[in-house]
Amino acid sequence: MSRSNILSNLLIATVLTFTASSAYAGSYAAGCTKSPQASWMKIEDVEAKVKSDGYLIMKSKVSGSCYEVYATKDGKRFELFYDPTTAQLASTVLK
């Protein structure tokens, strides 16, 4: 295999990996709950749970039907997705 073929394959693999990881993270934002926002917990209550689990919160927001929390723990960065009706962790993505 020539050097240009190897580089082309490496580039394709990198692009596919990036695309798949972006889709993976974004897929949780659409599916945490089907309940209307009026029945959701306050985001501050979910943040309190996140803090009690040992995370340092950098940012939190509504993302689709989830509360999305950007946090750090033990020197690592995480993107956490919570069901806003139960404060149950739906997904964790290590950044």
Side-chain angles (χ1 to χ4, degrees):
M1 194 181 266
S2 72
R3 179 181 166 102
S4 64
N5 284 345
I6 292 172
L7 291 176
S8 294
N9 288 338
L10 181 60
L11 177 62
I12 290 169
T14 302
V15 169
L16 290 174
T17 300
F18 177 76
T19 303
S21 65
S22 296
Y24 174 76
S27 66
Y28 289 97
C32 289
T33 187
K34 293 181 189 250
S35 298
Q37 279 192 343
S39 67
W40 290 11
M41 300 171 66
K42 294 179 185 174
I43 197 164
E44 294 83 8
D45 294 336
V46 175
E47 289 173 344
K49 180 187 183 321
V50 174
K51 289 176 185 175
S52 74
D53 289 340
Y55 291 95
L56 175 63
I57 297 172
M58 309 309 290
K59 178 182 174 183
S60 59
K61 66 180 185 173
V62 173
S63 181
S65 65
C66 300
Y67 281 142
E68 183 175 4
V69 180
Y70 297 90
T72 60
K73 184 176 182 179
D74 300 328
K76 298 176 183 162
R77 295 183 317 154
F78 296 90
E79 190 173 353
L80 308 167
F81 295 89
Y82 286 87
D83 181 324
T85 61
T86 63
Q88 184 172 343
L89 184 62
S91 176
T92 302
V93 179
L94 181 62
K95 293 305 222 171

PDB file of all heavy atoms in Angstrom, residues 47-58 69-74 76-80 82 89 92:
ATOM      1  N   GLU A  47     -28.553  19.631  39.340  1.00  0.00           N
ATOM      2  CA  GLU A  47     -27.180  20.061  39.602  1.00  0.00           C
ATOM      3  C   GLU A  47     -26.729  19.642  41.002  1.00  0.00           C
ATOM      4  O   GLU A  47     -25.576  19.238  41.199  1.00  0.00           O
ATOM      5  CB  GLU A  47     -27.047  21.570  39.437  1.00  0.00           C
ATOM      6  CG  GLU A  47     -27.136  22.037  38.002  1.00  0.00           C
ATOM      7  CD  GLU A  47     -27.164  23.552  37.869  1.00  0.00           C
ATOM      8  OE1 GLU A  47     -27.411  24.255  38.875  1.00  0.00           O
ATOM      9  OE2 GLU A  47     -26.947  24.033  36.742  1.00  0.00           O
ATOM     10  N   ALA A  48     -27.628  19.722  41.987  1.00  0.00           N
ATOM     11  CA  ALA A  48     -27.291  19.301  43.349  1.00  0.00           C
ATOM     12  C   ALA A  48     -26.926  17.821  43.378  1.00  0.00           C
ATOM     13  O   ALA A  48     -25.986  17.415  44.071  1.00  0.00           O
ATOM     14  CB  ALA A  48     -28.454  19.597  44.294  1.00  0.00           C
ATOM     15  N   LYS A  49     -27.648  17.002  42.629  1.00  0.00           N
ATOM     16  CA  LYS A  49     -27.341  15.573  42.552  1.00  0.00           C
ATOM     17  C   LYS A  49     -25.979  15.356  41.905  1.00  0.00           C
ATOM     18  O   LYS A  49     -25.184  14.545  42.363  1.00  0.00           O
ATOM     19  CB  LYS A  49     -28.413  14.825  41.774  1.00  0.00           C
ATOM     20  CG  LYS A  49     -28.122  13.325  41.675  1.00  0.00           C
ATOM     21  CD  LYS A  49     -29.081  12.615  40.781  1.00  0.00           C
ATOM     22  CE  LYS A  49     -28.857  11.124  40.717  1.00  0.00           C
ATOM     23  NZ  LYS A  49     -27.495  10.667  40.706  1.00  0.00           N
ATOM     24  N   VAL A  50     -25.713  16.090  40.826  1.00  0.00           N
ATOM     25  CA  VAL A  50     -24.434  15.971  40.124  1.00  0.00           C
ATOM     26  C   VAL A  50     -23.292  16.313  41.084  1.00  0.00           C
ATOM     27  O   VAL A  50     -22.295  15.591  41.164  1.00  0.00           O
ATOM     28  CB  VAL A  50     -24.408  16.876  38.872  1.00  0.00           C
ATOM     29  CG1 VAL A  50     -23.042  16.870  38.219  1.00  0.00           C
ATOM     30  CG2 VAL A  50     -25.485  16.455  37.881  1.00  0.00           C
ATOM     31  N   LYS A  51     -23.446  17.394  41.828  1.00  0.00           N
ATOM     32  CA  LYS A  51     -22.413  17.798  42.797  1.00  0.00           C
ATOM     33  C   LYS A  51     -22.243  16.749  43.887  1.00  0.00           C
ATOM     34  O   LYS A  51     -21.114  16.460  44.293  1.00  0.00           O
ATOM     35  CB  LYS A  51     -22.781  19.147  43.407  1.00  0.00           C
ATOM     36  CG  LYS A  51     -22.637  20.303  42.447  1.00  0.00           C
ATOM     37  CD  LYS A  51     -23.099  21.606  43.078  1.00  0.00           C
ATOM     38  CE  LYS A  51     -23.077  22.736  42.076  1.00  0.00           C
ATOM     39  NZ  LYS A  51     -23.635  23.987  42.648  1.00  0.00           N
ATOM     40  N   SER A  52     -23.347  16.161  44.350  1.00  0.00           N
ATOM     41  CA  SER A  52     -23.247  15.143  45.402  1.00  0.00           C
ATOM     42  C   SER A  52     -22.552  13.876  44.899  1.00  0.00           C
ATOM     43  O   SER A  52     -22.027  13.097  45.700  1.00  0.00           O
ATOM     44  CB  SER A  52     -24.630  14.806  45.970  1.00  0.00           C
ATOM     45  OG  SER A  52     -25.375  14.032  45.058  1.00  0.00           O
ATOM     46  N   ASP A  53     -22.548  13.681  43.580  1.00  0.00           N
ATOM     47  CA  ASP A  53     -21.830  12.549  42.980  1.00  0.00           C
ATOM     48  C   ASP A  53     -20.353  12.858  42.756  1.00  0.00           C
ATOM     49  O   ASP A  53     -19.632  12.051  42.180  1.00  0.00           O
ATOM     50  CB  ASP A  53     -22.485  12.141  41.656  1.00  0.00           C
ATOM     51  CG  ASP A  53     -23.839  11.472  41.850  1.00  0.00           C
ATOM     52  OD1 ASP A  53     -24.121  10.983  42.966  1.00  0.00           O
ATOM     53  OD2 ASP A  53     -24.623  11.445  40.889  1.00  0.00           O
ATOM     54  N   GLY A  54     -19.909  14.048  43.197  1.00  0.00           N
ATOM     55  CA  GLY A  54     -18.489  14.384  43.150  1.00  0.00           C
ATOM     56  C   GLY A  54     -18.023  15.151  41.930  1.00  0.00           C
ATOM     57  O   GLY A  54     -16.821  15.317  41.723  1.00  0.00           O
ATOM     58  N   TYR A  55     -18.935  15.627  41.105  1.00  0.00           N
ATOM     59  CA  TYR A  55     -18.571  16.385  39.914  1.00  0.00           C
ATOM     60  C   TYR A  55     -18.502  17.883  40.211  1.00  0.00           C
ATOM     61  O   TYR A  55     -19.249  18.385  41.056  1.00  0.00           O
ATOM     62  CB  TYR A  55     -19.601  16.172  38.796  1.00  0.00           C
ATOM     63  CG  TYR A  55     -19.608  14.791  38.207  1.00  0.00           C
ATOM     64  CD1 TYR A  55     -20.487  13.819  38.671  1.00  0.00           C
ATOM     65  CD2 TYR A  55     -18.741  14.454  37.169  1.00  0.00           C
ATOM     66  CE1 TYR A  55     -20.512  12.551  38.130  1.00  0.00           C
ATOM     67  CE2 TYR A  55     -18.765  13.176  36.621  1.00  0.00           C
ATOM     68  CZ  TYR A  55     -19.652  12.237  37.103  1.00  0.00           C
ATOM     69  OH  TYR A  55     -19.670  10.985  36.559  1.00  0.00           O
ATOM     70  N   LEU A  56     -17.643  18.572  39.503  1.00  0.00           N
ATOM     71  CA  LEU A  56     -17.592  20.031  39.509  1.00  0.00           C
ATOM     72  C   LEU A  56     -18.256  20.486  38.218  1.00  0.00           C
ATOM     73  O   LEU A  56     -17.777  20.167  37.120  1.00  0.00           O
ATOM     74  CB  LEU A  56     -16.140  20.530  39.560  1.00  0.00           C
ATOM     75  CG  LEU A  56     -15.942  22.036  39.441  1.00  0.00           C
ATOM     76  CD1 LEU A  56     -16.593  22.761  40.609  1.00  0.00           C
ATOM     77  CD2 LEU A  56     -14.464  22.360  39.376  1.00  0.00           C
ATOM     78  N   ILE A  57     -19.359  21.203  38.327  1.00  0.00           N
ATOM     79  CA  ILE A  57     -20.137  21.606  37.159  1.00  0.00           C
ATOM     80  C   ILE A  57     -19.530  22.834  36.503  1.00  0.00           C
ATOM     81  O   ILE A  57     -19.255  23.830  37.158  1.00  0.00           O
ATOM     82  CB  ILE A  57     -21.600  21.888  37.556  1.00  0.00           C
ATOM     83  CG1 ILE A  57     -22.241  20.606  38.089  1.00  0.00           C
ATOM     84  CG2 ILE A  57     -22.388  22.449  36.380  1.00  0.00           C
ATOM     85  CD1 ILE A  57     -23.615  20.814  38.685  1.00  0.00           C
ATOM     86  N   MET A  58     -19.343  22.738  35.188  1.00  0.00           N
ATOM     87  CA  MET A  58     -18.843  23.861  34.408  1.00  0.00           C
ATOM     88  C   MET A  58     -20.015  24.607  33.755  1.00  0.00           C
ATOM     89  O   MET A  58     -20.023  25.822  33.668  1.00  0.00           O
ATOM     90  CB  MET A  58     -17.869  23.391  33.325  1.00  0.00           C
ATOM     91  CG  MET A  58     -16.759  22.479  33.833  1.00  0.00           C
ATOM     92  SD  MET A  58     -15.853  23.111  35.259  1.00  0.00           S
ATOM     93  CE  MET A  58     -14.965  24.432  34.508  1.00  0.00           C
ATOM     94  N   VAL A  69     -25.170  18.306  31.261  1.00  0.00           N
ATOM     95  CA  VAL A  69     -24.267  18.915  32.227  1.00  0.00           C
ATOM     96  C   VAL A  69     -22.833  18.654  31.787  1.00  0.00           C
ATOM     97  O   VAL A  69     -22.448  17.510  31.539  1.00  0.00           O
ATOM     98  CB  VAL A  69     -24.497  18.337  33.645  1.00  0.00           C
ATOM     99  CG1 VAL A  69     -23.542  18.971  34.643  1.00  0.00           C
ATOM    100  CG2 VAL A  69     -25.944  18.519  34.076  1.00  0.00           C
ATOM    101  N   TYR A  70     -22.073  19.738  31.688  1.00  0.00           N
ATOM    102  CA  TYR A  70     -20.640  19.641  31.416  1.00  0.00           C
ATOM    103  C   TYR A  70     -19.952  19.750  32.766  1.00  0.00           C
ATOM    104  O   TYR A  70     -20.162  20.715  33.504  1.00  0.00           O
ATOM    105  CB  TYR A  70     -20.181  20.767  30.495  1.00  0.00           C
ATOM    106  CG  TYR A  70     -20.822  20.714  29.129  1.00  0.00           C
ATOM    107  CD1 TYR A  70     -22.024  21.386  28.866  1.00  0.00           C
ATOM    108  CD2 TYR A  70     -20.245  19.989  28.102  1.00  0.00           C
ATOM    109  CE1 TYR A  70     -22.616  21.332  27.613  1.00  0.00           C
ATOM    110  CE2 TYR A  70     -20.836  19.923  26.845  1.00  0.00           C
ATOM    111  CZ  TYR A  70     -22.015  20.602  26.614  1.00  0.00           C
ATOM    112  OH  TYR A  70     -22.610  20.545  25.376  1.00  0.00           O
ATOM    113  N   ALA A  71     -19.150  18.742  33.100  1.00  0.00           N
ATOM    114  CA  ALA A  71     -18.554  18.700  34.427  1.00  0.00           C
ATOM    115  C   ALA A  71     -17.189  18.035  34.389  1.00  0.00           C
ATOM    116  O   ALA A  71     -16.824  17.383  33.402  1.00  0.00           O
ATOM    117  CB  ALA A  71     -19.479  17.943  35.372  1.00  0.00           C
ATOM    118  N   THR A  72     -16.453  18.196  35.487  1.00  0.00           N
ATOM    119  CA  THR A  72     -15.165  17.527  35.645  1.00  0.00           C
ATOM    120  C   THR A  72     -15.189  16.709  36.930  1.00  0.00           C
ATOM    121  O   THR A  72     -15.910  17.031  37.881  1.00  0.00           O
ATOM    122  CB  THR A  72     -13.993  18.532  35.706  1.00  0.00           C
ATOM    123  OG1 THR A  72     -14.182  19.407  36.814  1.00  0.00           O
ATOM    124  CG2 THR A  72     -13.885  19.338  34.429  1.00  0.00           C
ATOM    125  N   LYS A  73     -14.399  15.641  36.906  1.00  0.00           N
ATOM    126  CA  LYS A  73     -14.232  14.788  38.086  1.00  0.00           C
ATOM    127  C   LYS A  73     -12.908  14.058  37.939  1.00  0.00           C
ATOM    128  O   LYS A  73     -12.634  13.491  36.883  1.00  0.00           O
ATOM    129  CB  LYS A  73     -15.389  13.792  38.196  1.00  0.00           C
ATOM    130  CG  LYS A  73     -15.349  12.940  39.450  1.00  0.00           C
ATOM    131  CD  LYS A  73     -16.594  12.062  39.523  1.00  0.00           C
ATOM    132  CE  LYS A  73     -16.601  11.228  40.784  1.00  0.00           C
ATOM    133  NZ  LYS A  73     -17.810  10.394  40.856  1.00  0.00           N
ATOM    134  N   ASP A  74     -12.111  14.095  38.984  1.00  0.00           N
ATOM    135  CA  ASP A  74     -10.815  13.413  38.983  1.00  0.00           C
ATOM    136  C   ASP A  74      -9.957  13.837  37.797  1.00  0.00           C
ATOM    137  O   ASP A  74      -9.268  13.015  37.187  1.00  0.00           O
ATOM    138  CB  ASP A  74     -11.000  11.891  38.982  1.00  0.00           C
ATOM    139  CG  ASP A  74     -11.765  11.393  40.202  1.00  0.00           C
ATOM    140  OD1 ASP A  74     -11.634  12.017  41.278  1.00  0.00           O
ATOM    141  OD2 ASP A  74     -12.500  10.401  40.069  1.00  0.00           O
ATOM    142  N   LYS A  76     -10.872  14.689  34.824  1.00  0.00           N
ATOM    143  CA  LYS A  76     -11.425  14.319  33.513  1.00  0.00           C
ATOM    144  C   LYS A  76     -12.677  15.145  33.242  1.00  0.00           C
ATOM    145  O   LYS A  76     -13.417  15.496  34.165  1.00  0.00           O
ATOM    146  CB  LYS A  76     -11.773  12.831  33.471  1.00  0.00           C
ATOM    147  CG  LYS A  76     -10.566  11.946  33.654  1.00  0.00           C
ATOM    148  CD  LYS A  76     -10.965  10.501  33.712  1.00  0.00           C
ATOM    149  CE  LYS A  76      -9.737   9.653  33.973  1.00  0.00           C
ATOM    150  NZ  LYS A  76     -10.074   8.338  34.437  1.00  0.00           N
ATOM    151  N   ARG A  77     -12.919  15.437  31.948  1.00  0.00           N
ATOM    152  CA  ARG A  77     -14.096  16.198  31.541  1.00  0.00           C
ATOM    153  C   ARG A  77     -15.185  15.241  31.061  1.00  0.00           C
ATOM    154  O   ARG A  77     -14.910  14.292  30.335  1.00  0.00           O
ATOM    155  CB  ARG A  77     -13.741  17.179  30.427  1.00  0.00           C
ATOM    156  CG  ARG A  77     -12.769  18.251  30.881  1.00  0.00           C
ATOM    157  CD  ARG A  77     -12.464  19.275  29.812  1.00  0.00           C
ATOM    158  NE  ARG A  77     -12.260  18.646  28.511  1.00  0.00           N
ATOM    159  CZ  ARG A  77     -12.468  19.257  27.359  1.00  0.00           C
ATOM    160  NH1 ARG A  77     -12.876  20.497  27.329  1.00  0.00           N
ATOM    161  NH2 ARG A  77     -12.244  18.631  26.221  1.00  0.00           N
ATOM    162  N   PHE A  78     -16.422  15.545  31.461  1.00  0.00           N
ATOM    163  CA  PHE A  78     -17.557  14.710  31.110  1.00  0.00           C
ATOM    164  C   PHE A  78     -18.695  15.544  30.551  1.00  0.00           C
ATOM    165  O   PHE A  78     -18.872  16.703  30.917  1.00  0.00           O
ATOM    166  CB  PHE A  78     -18.091  13.968  32.347  1.00  0.00           C
ATOM    167  CG  PHE A  78     -17.123  12.995  32.937  1.00  0.00           C
ATOM    168  CD1 PHE A  78     -16.235  13.378  33.919  1.00  0.00           C
ATOM    169  CD2 PHE A  78     -17.104  11.681  32.506  1.00  0.00           C
ATOM    170  CE1 PHE A  78     -15.344  12.476  34.468  1.00  0.00           C
ATOM    171  CE2 PHE A  78     -16.220  10.771  33.048  1.00  0.00           C
ATOM    172  CZ  PHE A  78     -15.335  11.177  34.030  1.00  0.00           C
ATOM    173  N   GLU A  79     -19.468  14.917  29.694  1.00  0.00           N
ATOM    174  CA  GLU A  79     -20.740  15.445  29.233  1.00  0.00           C
ATOM    175  C   GLU A  79     -21.780  14.454  29.750  1.00  0.00           C
ATOM    176  O   GLU A  79     -21.782  13.286  29.369  1.00  0.00           O
ATOM    177  CB  GLU A  79     -20.739  15.514  27.707  1.00  0.00           C
ATOM    178  CG  GLU A  79     -21.891  16.254  27.120  1.00  0.00           C
ATOM    179  CD  GLU A  79     -21.727  16.432  25.612  1.00  0.00           C
ATOM    180  OE1 GLU A  79     -20.651  16.095  25.056  1.00  0.00           O
ATOM    181  OE2 GLU A  79     -22.687  16.892  24.997  1.00  0.00           O
ATOM    182  N   LEU A  80     -22.625  14.919  30.651  1.00  0.00           N
ATOM    183  CA  LEU A  80     -23.584  14.057  31.332  1.00  0.00           C
ATOM    184  C   LEU A  80     -24.991  14.410  30.882  1.00  0.00           C
ATOM    185  O   LEU A  80     -25.341  15.585  30.799  1.00  0.00           O
ATOM    186  CB  LEU A  80     -23.475  14.244  32.847  1.00  0.00           C
ATOM    187  CG  LEU A  80     -22.065  14.116  33.436  1.00  0.00           C
ATOM    188  CD1 LEU A  80     -22.041  14.639  34.860  1.00  0.00           C
ATOM    189  CD2 LEU A  80     -21.596  12.681  33.380  1.00  0.00           C
ATOM    190  N   TYR A  82     -29.024  13.839  31.763  1.00  0.00           N
ATOM    191  CA  TYR A  82     -29.936  13.418  32.823  1.00  0.00           C
ATOM    192  C   TYR A  82     -31.382  13.505  32.372  1.00  0.00           C
ATOM    193  O   TYR A  82     -31.774  14.449  31.686  1.00  0.00           O
ATOM    194  CB  TYR A  82     -29.757  14.308  34.058  1.00  0.00           C
ATOM    195  CG  TYR A  82     -28.503  14.014  34.820  1.00  0.00           C
ATOM    196  CD1 TYR A  82     -27.307  14.623  34.499  1.00  0.00           C
ATOM    197  CD2 TYR A  82     -28.510  13.099  35.871  1.00  0.00           C
ATOM    198  CE1 TYR A  82     -26.140  14.340  35.196  1.00  0.00           C
ATOM    199  CE2 TYR A  82     -27.352  12.814  36.574  1.00  0.00           C
ATOM    200  CZ  TYR A  82     -26.171  13.438  36.230  1.00  0.00           C
ATOM    201  OH  TYR A  82     -25.025  13.154  36.917  1.00  0.00           O
ATOM    202  N   LEU A  89     -29.226   9.493  35.637  1.00  0.00           N
ATOM    203  CA  LEU A  89     -28.219   9.641  34.594  1.00  0.00           C
ATOM    204  C   LEU A  89     -28.568   8.747  33.412  1.00  0.00           C
ATOM    205  O   LEU A  89     -28.723   7.539  33.561  1.00  0.00           O
ATOM    206  CB  LEU A  89     -26.841   9.274  35.140  1.00  0.00           C
ATOM    207  CG  LEU A  89     -25.650   9.450  34.217  1.00  0.00           C
ATOM    208  CD1 LEU A  89     -25.481  10.918  33.814  1.00  0.00           C
ATOM    209  CD2 LEU A  89     -24.386   8.957  34.908  1.00  0.00           C
ATOM    210  N   THR A  92     -23.242   9.062  29.896  1.00  0.00           N
ATOM    211  CA  THR A  92     -22.003   9.773  30.237  1.00  0.00           C
ATOM    212  C   THR A  92     -21.083   9.684  29.045  1.00  0.00           C
ATOM    213  O   THR A  92     -20.841   8.599  28.521  1.00  0.00           O
ATOM    214  CB  THR A  92     -21.308   9.120  31.441  1.00  0.00           C
ATOM    215  OG1 THR A  92     -22.210   9.111  32.551  1.00  0.00           O
ATOM    216  CG2 THR A  92     -20.046   9.872  31.819  1.00  0.00           C
TER     217      THR A  92
END
